[in-house]
Structure formats: structure tokens, C-alpha cells
Amino acid sequence: MTAPLLEVRNVSRFFGGVKANLDVTFDVETGMVLGLIGPNGAGKTTLFNCITGFFPPSRGEILFEGKRIDGLSPDKVCRLGMARTWQKVRPLAKLTVLDNAVVGALLRTKSVKDAREIAHAQLKVVGLATKDSTLAGTLPIGERKKLEVARVLATQPKMILLDEVMGGLNARESEDLIQLILDIKTSGLTQVVIEHDMKAIVRTCDRIVVLNSGEKLAEGTPQQIVNDPRVMTAYLGDSGGAKA
Ligand SMILES: Nc1ncnc2c1ncn2[C@@H]1O[C@H](COP(=O)(O)OP(=O)(O)OP(=O)(O)O)[C@@H](O)[C@H]1O
Ligand SMILES: [Mg+2]
């Protein structure tokens, strides 16, 4: 049996007295879309930061393709094949859409010409191919989110981690992102998706991990999770709540 692509083993991350993650364990198999959900402050982004090397876990192990990666720098983790988007999108506003994606593509090639071709191909995947020469800072939020996805795809990853790519989008823009996640899934690329919109999560994910106050509260198929009373209680206890 092949090892899972990503293994998160008893990961904890503390900030002073705050237990942002506590003893979190789960696997991500190749080709799956795993949803990571939980109320505001549950520790979802912190877990992405630990997985992608932005800070090391306080305790625990993270394995990618069977090898320990906890403690590696973000650029090393990215080179191994994991790329993430940011909850607060921050494109290089004064660069064109194409050049933003080129920055991702330059991870694997020194040739600017090749990087442009890779970048353009990924802009096509996300539906921004006609916006190559637009300044990234002028894009509406829905297209900025798509550019974020193009930038991570341009690094030619084995896994992408999307942190609330639908956050702040209207229904039509969210629908575009749902379709994009489904298209990427069809291509076989593994995805971990943080999202508050339960409908979007149920439509896109094969499995869901629920975090609450830093700990894993539940894990299962979308059907198991939406029928789990503990999950509802966790959300109802949160002032933001899940969009059902
Ligand atoms: N760099 C940091 N320094 C100190 N505390 C932090 C830091 N990053 C996160 N935290 C704390 O860790 C906890 C988890 O935060 P995190 O951002 O991971 O939650 P989240 O599940 O992504 O929430 P949201 O849904 O609002 O994005 C919070 O209490 C937060 O204040
Ligand atoms: Mg977050």
C-alpha cells in the first residue's frame, strides 16, 4: 500500500498560552479533495502555516510522500510540491496578471519564456487567459482569487492548499470557484480546502476534517459530517456560524 500524500501526526502549535492546534492527526490521499472546516479561530490557517513551513509545529510530525517536512522552510516545502493560497489575497498589484503567475512558474524553470508558457496555461485553467496584461491590482476580488489559484498551479505542485478562496465572493463568483476546484480534482491534483460555506464544501470534498478550538472534532465523508450533531453544536456556539 502506498503512503498517503500528506500525513499530519499529532500536530500542536502554541502561541504563548493559545493552543491554536492541539494533537491534530489526519491523512490526505493522492487525488482527493479534503475539506478543513471549523468556526472562526478554530486553527485552520495555523495548520496550513505548519504544513507549508511558515512556522514549525510546536509538537508532532508532518510527512509529505512519506518524508518528514516539519521544520522545513516554505520555499523547500513548495519545491517538494505543496503550494498554498492566502486567506487575505495579496497579488503583486503593480505586476500584470501574467507576471504574477510567472513568479510561481519560476520555481521550476530559469527560462522566462518557459515560465510565461506555464503561467499562461494555468491562467487558461482558471479562466483568466484574456487578462494576461491587466494589472493584478485592478482585478475584482473574484478574479484575484482565481489569480491566486493560477499562481499556485504555476508552481506545478502535487498538492494545493486553498485558504477560503470563496471568502468574500458573491454566489456567482463562488460558483466559478466551486467549478474550478472540481475541474482541478478531475485533473487528479490533490487539494486541501478551507471553506466556511458548507454547501461548497459538500459539493467539492471527498472527506472533511472539522477543527474546533484547535482540536480535531470530527472526520468523515460530507454526509457523515453534515449529520454529526457535534459539528452543528460547534458552529452554533460561534457567532459567525456556518452558511448552511
Ligand atoms: N501568529 C500568531 N500569533 C499569535 N496567535 C495566533 C497567530 N496565528 C493564529 N493565532 C491564534 O490561533 C488561533 C487560531 O487562529 P487561525 O487563524 O488558525 O484560525 P482559523 O480557523 O483560520 O480562523 P478563521 O476562520 O477566522 O480564518 C486564534 O486564537 C488566533 O488568534
Ligand atoms: Mg483562517
Side-chain angles (χ1 to χ4, degrees):
M1 219 178 83
T2 51
L5 186 56
L6 178 71
E7 297 166 71
V8 174
R9 295 265 166 269
N10 304 104
V11 165
S12 298
R13 172 69 205 196
F14 309 127
F15 296 106
V18 176
K19 294 173 177 139
N21 292 140
L22 188 60
D23 222 15
V24 178
T25 295
F26 62 89
D27 290 341
V28 183
E29 307 288 341
T30 301
M32 76 151 48
V33 182
L34 182 105
L36 188 58
I37 68 169
N40 295 116
K44 305 178 296 295
T45 298
T46 300
L47 200 52
F48 268 21
N49 286 334
C50 287
I51 293 169
T52 53
F54 286 86
F55 39 64
S58 306
R59 289 207 294 255
E61 298 178 355
I62 300 168
L63 291 88
F64 189 63
E65 298 189 298
K67 296 194 190 79
R68 289 280 294 273
I69 58 160
D70 46 279
L72 294 186
S73 61
D75 61 306
K76 287 214 172 86
V77 173
C78 195
R79 203 165 282 282
L80 288 175
M82 241 194 292
R84 60 92 59 92
T85 66
W86 295 92
Q87 187 168 347
K88 291 195 178 85
V89 283
R90 40 189 175 188
L92 302 162
K94 295 200 168 128
L95 294 188
T96 63
V97 164
L98 182 67
D99 284 344
N100 267 269
V102 164
V103 171
L106 285 170
L107 181 77
R108 304 222 186 263
T109 176
K110 287 195 173 70
S111 155
V112 174
K113 183 173 169 287
D114 290 352
R116 285 218 169 104
E117 273 168 28
I118 295 163
H120 184 71
Q122 299 313 325
L123 289 171
K124 224 168 162 177
V125 169
V126 305
L128 288 181
T130 60
K131 304 259 169 152
D132 268 11
S133 47
T134 304
L135 284 184
T138 67
L139 291 179
I141 179 75
E143 291 184 346
R144 279 187 208 200
K145 298 270 189 170
K146 289 181 186 171
L147 178 56
E148 272 282 285
V149 178
R151 182 182 58 73
V152 296
L153 291 176
T155 66
Q156 300 175 269
K158 294 174 180 161
M159 170 184 282
I160 59 173
L161 299 98
L162 308 178
D163 194 346
E164 291 196 33
V165 280
M166 290 167 221
L169 302 189
N170 65 32
R172 193 185 50 74
E173 291 165 332
S174 291
E175 184 58 33
D176 278 2
L177 265 300
I178 290 172
Q179 284 305 328
L180 180 55
I181 291 170
L182 292 172
D183 288 347
I184 294 170
K185 179 176 171 173
T186 304
S187 79
L189 184 63
T190 312
Q191 302 176 79
V192 184
V193 175
I194 296 178
E195 207 54 65
H196 280 293
D197 184 336
M198 281 300 277
K199 275 190 193 151
I201 283 284
V202 168
R203 278 178 62 195
T204 52
C205 295
D206 302 297
R207 275 186 87 69
I208 297 173
V209 167
V210 187
L211 289 185
N212 189 37
S213 304
E215 295 186 78
K216 187 171 88 172
L217 176 75
E219 177 175 358
T221 62
Q223 221 44 46
Q224 287 167 332
I225 295 302
V226 294
N227 290 314
D228 189 331
R230 292 172 305 165
V231 176
M232 194 52 73
T233 307
Y235 272 103
L236 289 177
D238 169 65
S239 57
K243 285 181 234 157

PDB file of all heavy atoms in Angstrom, residues 193-220:
ATOM      1  N   VAL A 193      -8.854  22.092   1.230  1.00  0.00           N
ATOM      2  CA  VAL A 193      -9.654  23.294   1.041  1.00  0.00           C
ATOM      3  C   VAL A 193     -10.236  23.751   2.372  1.00  0.00           C
ATOM      4  O   VAL A 193     -10.973  23.003   3.019  1.00  0.00           O
ATOM      5  CB  VAL A 193     -10.807  22.963   0.058  1.00  0.00           C
ATOM      6  CG1 VAL A 193     -11.743  24.145  -0.087  1.00  0.00           C
ATOM      7  CG2 VAL A 193     -10.273  22.524  -1.299  1.00  0.00           C
ATOM      8  N   ILE A 194      -9.888  24.968   2.792  1.00  0.00           N
ATOM      9  CA  ILE A 194     -10.543  25.581   3.956  1.00  0.00           C
ATOM     10  C   ILE A 194     -11.697  26.420   3.425  1.00  0.00           C
ATOM     11  O   ILE A 194     -11.499  27.231   2.513  1.00  0.00           O
ATOM     12  CB  ILE A 194      -9.584  26.521   4.721  1.00  0.00           C
ATOM     13  CG1 ILE A 194      -8.409  25.741   5.315  1.00  0.00           C
ATOM     14  CG2 ILE A 194     -10.342  27.284   5.810  1.00  0.00           C
ATOM     15  CD1 ILE A 194      -7.384  26.623   6.039  1.00  0.00           C
ATOM     16  N   GLU A 195     -12.858  26.214   3.970  1.00  0.00           N
ATOM     17  CA  GLU A 195     -14.016  26.988   3.489  1.00  0.00           C
ATOM     18  C   GLU A 195     -15.088  27.030   4.561  1.00  0.00           C
ATOM     19  O   GLU A 195     -15.253  26.074   5.312  1.00  0.00           O
ATOM     20  CB  GLU A 195     -14.563  26.298   2.213  1.00  0.00           C
ATOM     21  CG  GLU A 195     -15.262  27.204   1.273  1.00  0.00           C
ATOM     22  CD  GLU A 195     -14.408  28.398   0.874  1.00  0.00           C
ATOM     23  OE1 GLU A 195     -13.360  28.221   0.216  1.00  0.00           O
ATOM     24  OE2 GLU A 195     -14.810  29.512   1.246  1.00  0.00           O
ATOM     25  N   HIS A 196     -15.797  28.161   4.646  1.00  0.00           N
ATOM     26  CA  HIS A 196     -16.905  28.261   5.606  1.00  0.00           C
ATOM     27  C   HIS A 196     -18.234  27.851   4.995  1.00  0.00           C
ATOM     28  O   HIS A 196     -19.155  27.477   5.715  1.00  0.00           O
ATOM     29  CB  HIS A 196     -17.015  29.694   6.145  1.00  0.00           C
ATOM     30  CG  HIS A 196     -16.023  29.988   7.234  1.00  0.00           C
ATOM     31  ND1 HIS A 196     -16.074  29.382   8.471  1.00  0.00           N
ATOM     32  CD2 HIS A 196     -14.939  30.784   7.262  1.00  0.00           C
ATOM     33  CE1 HIS A 196     -15.075  29.819   9.212  1.00  0.00           C
ATOM     34  NE2 HIS A 196     -14.360  30.666   8.500  1.00  0.00           N
ATOM     35  N   ASP A 197     -18.345  27.948   3.671  1.00  0.00           N
ATOM     36  CA  ASP A 197     -19.618  27.674   3.003  1.00  0.00           C
ATOM     37  C   ASP A 197     -19.827  26.154   2.913  1.00  0.00           C
ATOM     38  O   ASP A 197     -19.177  25.463   2.132  1.00  0.00           O
ATOM     39  CB  ASP A 197     -19.591  28.310   1.607  1.00  0.00           C
ATOM     40  CG  ASP A 197     -20.906  28.146   0.877  1.00  0.00           C
ATOM     41  OD1 ASP A 197     -21.661  27.205   1.194  1.00  0.00           O
ATOM     42  OD2 ASP A 197     -21.176  28.968  -0.013  1.00  0.00           O
ATOM     43  N   MET A 198     -20.743  25.637   3.742  1.00  0.00           N
ATOM     44  CA  MET A 198     -20.928  24.178   3.834  1.00  0.00           C
ATOM     45  C   MET A 198     -21.398  23.571   2.519  1.00  0.00           C
ATOM     46  O   MET A 198     -21.020  22.455   2.177  1.00  0.00           O
ATOM     47  CB  MET A 198     -21.923  23.832   4.951  1.00  0.00           C
ATOM     48  CG  MET A 198     -21.319  23.882   6.330  1.00  0.00           C
ATOM     49  SD  MET A 198     -19.941  22.724   6.528  1.00  0.00           S
ATOM     50  CE  MET A 198     -20.822  21.221   6.887  1.00  0.00           C
ATOM     51  N   LYS A 199     -22.215  24.318   1.779  1.00  0.00           N
ATOM     52  CA  LYS A 199     -22.703  23.771   0.505  1.00  0.00           C
ATOM     53  C   LYS A 199     -21.530  23.559  -0.448  1.00  0.00           C
ATOM     54  O   LYS A 199     -21.449  22.542  -1.138  1.00  0.00           O
ATOM     55  CB  LYS A 199     -23.721  24.726  -0.125  1.00  0.00           C
ATOM     56  CG  LYS A 199     -25.120  24.526   0.389  1.00  0.00           C
ATOM     57  CD  LYS A 199     -26.109  25.333  -0.451  1.00  0.00           C
ATOM     58  CE  LYS A 199     -27.446  25.388   0.256  1.00  0.00           C
ATOM     59  NZ  LYS A 199     -28.202  26.605  -0.068  1.00  0.00           N
ATOM     60  N   ALA A 200     -20.631  24.519  -0.483  1.00  0.00           N
ATOM     61  CA  ALA A 200     -19.454  24.420  -1.354  1.00  0.00           C
ATOM     62  C   ALA A 200     -18.579  23.252  -0.913  1.00  0.00           C
ATOM     63  O   ALA A 200     -18.053  22.496  -1.740  1.00  0.00           O
ATOM     64  CB  ALA A 200     -18.664  25.722  -1.314  1.00  0.00           C
ATOM     65  N   ILE A 201     -18.419  23.089   0.398  1.00  0.00           N
ATOM     66  CA  ILE A 201     -17.602  22.001   0.944  1.00  0.00           C
ATOM     67  C   ILE A 201     -18.197  20.644   0.571  1.00  0.00           C
ATOM     68  O   ILE A 201     -17.501  19.743   0.100  1.00  0.00           O
ATOM     69  CB  ILE A 201     -17.487  22.158   2.494  1.00  0.00           C
ATOM     70  CG1 ILE A 201     -16.485  23.258   2.842  1.00  0.00           C
ATOM     71  CG2 ILE A 201     -17.131  20.856   3.176  1.00  0.00           C
ATOM     72  CD1 ILE A 201     -15.028  22.871   2.680  1.00  0.00           C
ATOM     73  N   VAL A 202     -19.510  20.515   0.754  1.00  0.00           N
ATOM     74  CA  VAL A 202     -20.169  19.231   0.485  1.00  0.00           C
ATOM     75  C   VAL A 202     -20.064  18.889  -1.001  1.00  0.00           C
ATOM     76  O   VAL A 202     -19.860  17.727  -1.371  1.00  0.00           O
ATOM     77  CB  VAL A 202     -21.640  19.273   0.967  1.00  0.00           C
ATOM     78  CG1 VAL A 202     -22.437  18.091   0.440  1.00  0.00           C
ATOM     79  CG2 VAL A 202     -21.684  19.306   2.496  1.00  0.00           C
ATOM     80  N   ARG A 203     -20.154  19.916  -1.861  1.00  0.00           N
ATOM     81  CA  ARG A 203     -20.105  19.645  -3.301  1.00  0.00           C
ATOM     82  C   ARG A 203     -18.707  19.281  -3.797  1.00  0.00           C
ATOM     83  O   ARG A 203     -18.565  18.588  -4.806  1.00  0.00           O
ATOM     84  CB  ARG A 203     -20.610  20.869  -4.074  1.00  0.00           C
ATOM     85  CG  ARG A 203     -22.132  20.906  -4.135  1.00  0.00           C
ATOM     86  CD  ARG A 203     -22.617  22.127  -4.843  1.00  0.00           C
ATOM     87  NE  ARG A 203     -22.181  22.202  -6.236  1.00  0.00           N
ATOM     88  CZ  ARG A 203     -22.238  23.316  -6.961  1.00  0.00           C
ATOM     89  NH1 ARG A 203     -22.688  24.430  -6.435  1.00  0.00           N
ATOM     90  NH2 ARG A 203     -21.846  23.310  -8.214  1.00  0.00           N
ATOM     91  N   THR A 204     -17.692  19.783  -3.130  1.00  0.00           N
ATOM     92  CA  THR A 204     -16.339  19.618  -3.677  1.00  0.00           C
ATOM     93  C   THR A 204     -15.503  18.539  -2.971  1.00  0.00           C
ATOM     94  O   THR A 204     -14.588  17.987  -3.584  1.00  0.00           O
ATOM     95  CB  THR A 204     -15.547  20.945  -3.614  1.00  0.00           C
ATOM     96  OG1 THR A 204     -15.605  21.445  -2.276  1.00  0.00           O
ATOM     97  CG2 THR A 204     -16.100  21.970  -4.574  1.00  0.00           C
ATOM     98  N   CYS A 205     -15.812  18.248  -1.695  1.00  0.00           N
ATOM     99  CA  CYS A 205     -14.870  17.444  -0.902  1.00  0.00           C
ATOM    100  C   CYS A 205     -15.227  15.953  -0.843  1.00  0.00           C
ATOM    101  O   CYS A 205     -16.388  15.588  -0.818  1.00  0.00           O
ATOM    102  CB  CYS A 205     -14.796  17.986   0.521  1.00  0.00           C
ATOM    103  SG  CYS A 205     -14.093  19.634   0.551  1.00  0.00           S
ATOM    104  N   ASP A 206     -14.190  15.118  -0.795  1.00  0.00           N
ATOM    105  CA  ASP A 206     -14.366  13.680  -0.598  1.00  0.00           C
ATOM    106  C   ASP A 206     -14.421  13.352   0.886  1.00  0.00           C
ATOM    107  O   ASP A 206     -15.123  12.450   1.308  1.00  0.00           O
ATOM    108  CB  ASP A 206     -13.185  12.917  -1.228  1.00  0.00           C
ATOM    109  CG  ASP A 206     -13.062  13.231  -2.701  1.00  0.00           C
ATOM    110  OD1 ASP A 206     -13.997  12.910  -3.441  1.00  0.00           O
ATOM    111  OD2 ASP A 206     -12.039  13.819  -3.105  1.00  0.00           O
ATOM    112  N   ARG A 207     -13.618  14.085   1.661  1.00  0.00           N
ATOM    113  CA  ARG A 207     -13.586  13.894   3.117  1.00  0.00           C
ATOM    114  C   ARG A 207     -13.487  15.257   3.776  1.00  0.00           C
ATOM    115  O   ARG A 207     -13.011  16.217   3.170  1.00  0.00           O
ATOM    116  CB  ARG A 207     -12.356  13.071   3.532  1.00  0.00           C
ATOM    117  CG  ARG A 207     -12.544  11.588   3.445  1.00  0.00           C
ATOM    118  CD  ARG A 207     -11.341  10.847   3.996  1.00  0.00           C
ATOM    119  NE  ARG A 207     -11.424  10.620   5.436  1.00  0.00           N
ATOM    120  CZ  ARG A 207     -12.290   9.797   6.005  1.00  0.00           C
ATOM    121  NH1 ARG A 207     -13.180   9.161   5.281  1.00  0.00           N
ATOM    122  NH2 ARG A 207     -12.285   9.607   7.310  1.00  0.00           N
ATOM    123  N   ILE A 208     -13.906  15.295   5.027  1.00  0.00           N
ATOM    124  CA  ILE A 208     -13.874  16.554   5.764  1.00  0.00           C
ATOM    125  C   ILE A 208     -13.256  16.314   7.142  1.00  0.00           C
ATOM    126  O   ILE A 208     -13.567  15.313   7.797  1.00  0.00           O
ATOM    127  CB  ILE A 208     -15.309  17.120   5.929  1.00  0.00           C
ATOM    128  CG1 ILE A 208     -15.911  17.439   4.553  1.00  0.00           C
ATOM    129  CG2 ILE A 208     -15.308  18.356   6.823  1.00  0.00           C
ATOM    130  CD1 ILE A 208     -17.373  17.844   4.598  1.00  0.00           C
ATOM    131  N   VAL A 209     -12.377  17.229   7.537  1.00  0.00           N
ATOM    132  CA  VAL A 209     -11.855  17.256   8.901  1.00  0.00           C
ATOM    133  C   VAL A 209     -12.403  18.517   9.561  1.00  0.00           C
ATOM    134  O   VAL A 209     -12.325  19.605   8.979  1.00  0.00           O
ATOM    135  CB  VAL A 209     -10.304  17.270   8.900  1.00  0.00           C
ATOM    136  CG1 VAL A 209      -9.763  17.609  10.280  1.00  0.00           C
ATOM    137  CG2 VAL A 209      -9.761  15.926   8.416  1.00  0.00           C
ATOM    138  N   VAL A 210     -12.981  18.360  10.751  1.00  0.00           N
ATOM    139  CA  VAL A 210     -13.544  19.508  11.469  1.00  0.00           C
ATOM    140  C   VAL A 210     -12.635  19.858  12.633  1.00  0.00           C
ATOM    141  O   VAL A 210     -12.329  18.997  13.472  1.00  0.00           O
ATOM    142  CB  VAL A 210     -14.957  19.187  12.031  1.00  0.00           C
ATOM    143  CG1 VAL A 210     -15.580  20.447  12.630  1.00  0.00           C
ATOM    144  CG2 VAL A 210     -15.850  18.594  10.957  1.00  0.00           C
ATOM    145  N   LEU A 211     -12.204  21.121  12.674  1.00  0.00           N
ATOM    146  CA  LEU A 211     -11.421  21.601  13.816  1.00  0.00           C
ATOM    147  C   LEU A 211     -12.327  22.443  14.705  1.00  0.00           C
ATOM    148  O   LEU A 211     -13.197  23.172  14.215  1.00  0.00           O
ATOM    149  CB  LEU A 211     -10.248  22.475  13.354  1.00  0.00           C
ATOM    150  CG  LEU A 211      -9.072  21.826  12.654  1.00  0.00           C
ATOM    151  CD1 LEU A 211      -7.981  22.886  12.407  1.00  0.00           C
ATOM    152  CD2 LEU A 211      -8.487  20.660  13.449  1.00  0.00           C
ATOM    153  N   ASN A 212     -12.078  22.365  16.005  1.00  0.00           N
ATOM    154  CA  ASN A 212     -12.794  23.219  16.953  1.00  0.00           C
ATOM    155  C   ASN A 212     -11.854  23.510  18.107  1.00  0.00           C
ATOM    156  O   ASN A 212     -11.292  22.571  18.682  1.00  0.00           O
ATOM    157  CB  ASN A 212     -14.064  22.517  17.445  1.00  0.00           C
ATOM    158  CG  ASN A 212     -14.939  23.450  18.253  1.00  0.00           C
ATOM    159  OD1 ASN A 212     -15.048  24.635  17.943  1.00  0.00           O
ATOM    160  ND2 ASN A 212     -15.564  22.925  19.291  1.00  0.00           N
ATOM    161  N   SER A 213     -11.634  24.800  18.392  1.00  0.00           N
ATOM    162  CA  SER A 213     -10.692  25.199  19.445  1.00  0.00           C
ATOM    163  C   SER A 213      -9.355  24.474  19.316  1.00  0.00           C
ATOM    164  O   SER A 213      -8.791  24.005  20.294  1.00  0.00           O
ATOM    165  CB  SER A 213     -11.289  24.913  20.829  1.00  0.00           C
ATOM    166  OG  SER A 213     -12.521  25.540  20.970  1.00  0.00           O
ATOM    167  N   GLY A 214      -8.874  24.360  18.074  1.00  0.00           N
ATOM    168  CA  GLY A 214      -7.551  23.790  17.823  1.00  0.00           C
ATOM    169  C   GLY A 214      -7.512  22.278  17.697  1.00  0.00           C
ATOM    170  O   GLY A 214      -6.544  21.710  17.196  1.00  0.00           O
ATOM    171  N   GLU A 215      -8.573  21.594  18.152  1.00  0.00           N
ATOM    172  CA  GLU A 215      -8.569  20.131  18.135  1.00  0.00           C
ATOM    173  C   GLU A 215      -9.435  19.558  17.020  1.00  0.00           C
ATOM    174  O   GLU A 215     -10.402  20.193  16.607  1.00  0.00           O
ATOM    175  CB  GLU A 215      -9.104  19.590  19.469  1.00  0.00           C
ATOM    176  CG  GLU A 215      -8.216  19.920  20.638  1.00  0.00           C
ATOM    177  CD  GLU A 215      -8.705  19.255  21.918  1.00  0.00           C
ATOM    178  OE1 GLU A 215      -8.461  18.045  22.081  1.00  0.00           O
ATOM    179  OE2 GLU A 215      -9.318  19.939  22.736  1.00  0.00           O
ATOM    180  N   LYS A 216      -9.091  18.354  16.577  1.00  0.00           N
ATOM    181  CA  LYS A 216      -9.949  17.688  15.592  1.00  0.00           C
ATOM    182  C   LYS A 216     -11.211  17.208  16.293  1.00  0.00           C
ATOM    183  O   LYS A 216     -11.148  16.385  17.200  1.00  0.00           O
ATOM    184  CB  LYS A 216      -9.217  16.518  14.928  1.00  0.00           C
ATOM    185  CG  LYS A 216     -10.031  15.926  13.791  1.00  0.00           C
ATOM    186  CD  LYS A 216      -9.246  14.910  12.979  1.00  0.00           C
ATOM    187  CE  LYS A 216      -9.360  13.527  13.545  1.00  0.00           C
ATOM    188  NZ  LYS A 216      -8.779  12.495  12.680  1.00  0.00           N
ATOM    189  N   LEU A 217     -12.344  17.737  15.843  1.00  0.00           N
ATOM    190  CA  LEU A 217     -13.623  17.385  16.465  1.00  0.00           C
ATOM    191  C   LEU A 217     -14.237  16.176  15.775  1.00  0.00           C
ATOM    192  O   LEU A 217     -14.856  15.325  16.418  1.00  0.00           O
ATOM    193  CB  LEU A 217     -14.577  18.586  16.359  1.00  0.00           C
ATOM    194  CG  LEU A 217     -15.999  18.398  16.855  1.00  0.00           C
ATOM    195  CD1 LEU A 217     -16.026  18.390  18.376  1.00  0.00           C
ATOM    196  CD2 LEU A 217     -16.902  19.511  16.330  1.00  0.00           C
ATOM    197  N   ALA A 218     -14.091  16.109  14.445  1.00  0.00           N
ATOM    198  CA  ALA A 218     -14.713  15.023  13.687  1.00  0.00           C
ATOM    199  C   ALA A 218     -13.995  14.882  12.354  1.00  0.00           C
ATOM    200  O   ALA A 218     -13.335  15.817  11.887  1.00  0.00           O
ATOM    201  CB  ALA A 218     -16.191  15.326  13.446  1.00  0.00           C
ATOM    202  N   GLU A 219     -14.144  13.701  11.753  1.00  0.00           N
ATOM    203  CA  GLU A 219     -13.608  13.468  10.412  1.00  0.00           C
ATOM    204  C   GLU A 219     -14.511  12.459   9.725  1.00  0.00           C
ATOM    205  O   GLU A 219     -14.990  11.513  10.359  1.00  0.00           O
ATOM    206  CB  GLU A 219     -12.180  12.902  10.491  1.00  0.00           C
ATOM    207  CG  GLU A 219     -11.631  12.578   9.115  1.00  0.00           C
ATOM    208  CD  GLU A 219     -10.170  12.111   9.111  1.00  0.00           C
ATOM    209  OE1 GLU A 219      -9.534  12.070  10.174  1.00  0.00           O
ATOM    210  OE2 GLU A 219      -9.699  11.783   8.014  1.00  0.00           O
ATOM    211  N   GLY A 220     -14.792  12.677   8.435  1.00  0.00           N
ATOM    212  CA  GLY A 220     -15.626  11.707   7.728  1.00  0.00           C
ATOM    213  C   GLY A 220     -16.022  12.197   6.358  1.00  0.00           C
ATOM    214  O   GLY A 220     -15.469  13.192   5.854  1.00  0.00           O
TER     215      GLY A 220
END
